[in-house]
Amino acid sequence: MTAQRIDGNALSQKLRADVTHRTAALKSKGVTPGLAVVLVGENPASQVYVRNKVKACQDSGLYSVLEKYPENMTEEALLARINGLNNDASIHGILVQLPLPVQIDAQKVIEAISPAKDVDGFHIASAGALMTGMPGFWPCTPFGCMKMLESIGYDLKGKHAVVIGRSNIVGKPMAMMLLQQNATVTICHSATKNLKDITRQADVIVAAVGKRNVLTAEMVKPGAVVLDVGMNRNDEGKLCGDVDFAGVEQIASYITPVPGGVGPMTITMLLVNTLEAAERTVI
Ligand code: NAP
């Protein structure tokens, strides 16, 4: 069996068309969804990420502003700026690009963002809302994974989902979202013993580790659905995921490629969250 690919670019295009449509409807009511992207320092990867986020907003008709600050910005100054954005009615979503320079406590900055504008879903209030099934913003990457499962009509009820990785931004929220859809969820991490024995039992595997070939063909049950969140470089310097794609593709029923899988979905869900933040102001 060769797995069907879940195409993150194609799904993103579809979802972004809906964002564009809903944005136009909101604009006709006098509200333009606005996202502020805050970048501190000169991290080259971060510069690319923020540019892509701002461009994606503009392409879908949202307002987006990129605020760049020097590497030596103080925590106090950044907190003051977040406060300003919290009180700016033209801004519905605030995204502070991570990592931040060492003198700034990233968690403190995230907690300073109003939960109503926390479109990254990293605020403790957003995490609590996800944990308790209350309305809030879901972190974009796992949210994108859920949309990918939805796009193939996958019913998670009673299925065994294994998440490899337990970060606050991917692994843990991913597990909560799968649980909310009635999957039986196992979370694996660096101290997990016999990873293969666990993944072999999975109907759905989400790999969110950041290491190449963490998931290989012999670790996958025939017909499983495999979502690859990882972003790594192979020996030729090309982007690759955590999954041995060539091998696992022969075993799984569905698989997400890297690039062109989960990556584009992350930005798309940022647009969705920003739009929803704006829509909530007029309801
Ligand atoms: P992270 O904070 O470094 O977390 C990695 C997790 O993997 C940790 O929980 C760690 O366990 C676990 N782990 C490490 N080695 C392992 C092993 N050998 N077996 C099982 N688990 C292991 O990373 P992250 O922020 O969640 O990101 C994970 C990957 O996704 C990275 O490649 C990142 O670049 C990528 N990513 C992609 C997107 C996207 O848009 N496509 C978005 C976000 C992240 P411990 O907790 O025990 O240390």
Side-chain angles (χ1 to χ4, degrees), residues 162-167 186-193 195 198 209:
V162 171
V163 181
I164 318 175
R166 57 171 166 182
S167 71
T186 304
I187 307 174
C188 301
H189 45 78
S190 66
T192 297
K193 289 189 179 131
L195 181 63
I198 298 167
V209 174

Side-chain angles (χ1 to χ4, degrees), residues 73-149:
M73 185 186 207
T74 64
E75 184 179 282
E76 196 185 6
L78 181 55
L79 290 173
R81 189 56 207 126
I82 299 295
N83 188 42
L85 292 168
N86 281 340
N87 293 307
D88 182 340
S90 71
I91 295 299
H92 303 94
I94 302 169
L95 182 152
V96 178
Q97 186 64 43
L98 302 177
L100 287 167
V102 285
Q103 74 276 13
I104 299 176
D105 179 343
Q107 198 55 39
K108 207 165 163 185
V109 172
I110 289 166
E111 299 313 327
I113 297 171
S114 161
K117 299 189 178 188
D118 177 39
V119 289
D120 246 346
F122 295 166
H123 195 289
I124 205 160
S126 303
L130 172 58
M131 174 79 96
T132 53
M134 301 296 285
F137 292 110
W138 284 8
C140 300
T141 301
F143 192 9
C145 290
M146 293 305 284
K147 286 285 173 194
M148 294 180 112
L149 291 173

Side-chain angles (χ1 to χ4, degrees), residues 216-235:
T216 53
E218 68 278 6
M219 298 169 76
V220 177
K221 178 169 83 174
V225 175
V226 176
L227 306 183
D228 191 353
V229 178
M231 288 202 305
N232 312 296
R233 296 273 164 195
N234 67 16
D235 292 337

